[in-house]
């Protein structure tokens, strides 16, 4: 059974998982082989995906590119998204030279999506209009 998390519960879980991810990435190959299972269980990815779905159901459908910003909390979520994307690119680069757990890579990818949707969700509940990209190239 998948438990519904509050945003704060999920963020606390993410912090713990990210410490495990960092530990896993820092370990040498011989130590990684001792692990019996992924440091990121499937259920942890499911927690993030369910939360994304829950928030997307509560906000207007995205029809344009959104410029990062808005409320203070939404802006912080955008910074978190940027850090996750940077980490994801570094993990992908590492995977070209070393074995990297596929669940770990999937989790970091889902986190960046989570933080994007969280930023939109926070702007919505704080009644802050999103900044829409005005594309001059149309």
């Amino acid at each position: 059974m998948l438990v519904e998390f509050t945003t704060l519960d999920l963020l606390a879980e993410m912090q713990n998982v990210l410490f495990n991810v960092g530990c896993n990435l820092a370990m040498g190959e011989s130590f990684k082989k001792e692990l019996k299972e992924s440091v990121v269980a499937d259920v942890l990815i499911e927690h993030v995906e369910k939360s994304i779905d829950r928030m997307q159901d509560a906000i207007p459908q995205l029809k344009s590119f959104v410029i990062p910003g808005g409320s203070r909390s939404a802006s912080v979520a955008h910074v978190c998204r940027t850090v996750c994307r940077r980490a994801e690119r570094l993990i992908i680069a590492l995977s070209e030279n070393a074995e990297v757990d596929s669940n770990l890579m999937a989790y970091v990818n889902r986190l960046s999506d989570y933080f994007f949707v969280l930023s939109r969700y926070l702007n919505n509940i704080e009644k802050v209009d999103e900044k829409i990209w005005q594309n001059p190239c149309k």
Side-chain angles (χ1 to χ4, degrees):
M1 180 176 111
L2 195 59
V3 178
E4 281 293 320
F5 279 93
T6 68
T7 299
L8 293 178
D9 289 336
L10 185 59
L11 290 171
E13 178 183 86
M14 287 175 184
Q15 286 180 303
N16 192 69
V17 172
L18 287 172
F19 267 80
N20 294 337
V21 164
C23 178
N24 181 270
L25 292 172
M27 291 175 10
E29 288 297 318
S30 60
F31 291 110
K32 288 181 185 180
K33 289 180 178 158
E34 293 178 21
L35 293 174
K36 302 286 188 247
E37 56 192 45
S38 173
V39 294
V40 181
D42 291 339
V43 70
L44 298 172
I45 297 169
E46 290 176 36
H47 289 167
V48 175
E49 289 175 343
K50 290 285 184 185
S51 186
I52 290 170
D53 293 343
R54 178 183 53 81
M55 289 186 294
Q56 282 184 323
D57 288 345
I59 58 179
Q61 185 176 6
L62 189 60
K63 295 181 177 153
S64 301
F65 286 104
V66 175
I67 295 175
S71 70
R72 178 170 164 59
S73 57
S75 296
V76 169
H78 277 296
V79 171
C80 292
R81 176 185 57 83
T82 301
V83 171
C84 285
R85 283 285 186 230
R86 184 181 325 132
E88 183 180 16
R89 287 191 304 273
L90 291 170
I91 292 168
I92 289 169
L94 175 64
S95 74
E96 294 173 3
N97 299 312
E99 186 177 334
V100 176
D101 178 357
S102 61
N103 271 17
L104 183 154
M105 291 174 63
Y107 186 77
V108 174
N109 174 268
R110 299 309 297 148
L111 282 187
S112 59
D113 292 341
Y114 170 84
F115 284 115
F116 176 73
V117 174
L118 178 63
S119 69
R120 295 192 66 232
Y121 180 76
L122 291 169
N123 275 334
N124 187 64
I125 63 175
E126 295 178 40
K127 308 238 184 299
V128 175
D129 290 336
E130 291 180 313
K131 296 176 184 176
I132 303 301
W133 178 44
Q134 304 299 316
N135 183 356
C137 303
K138 289 183 183 179

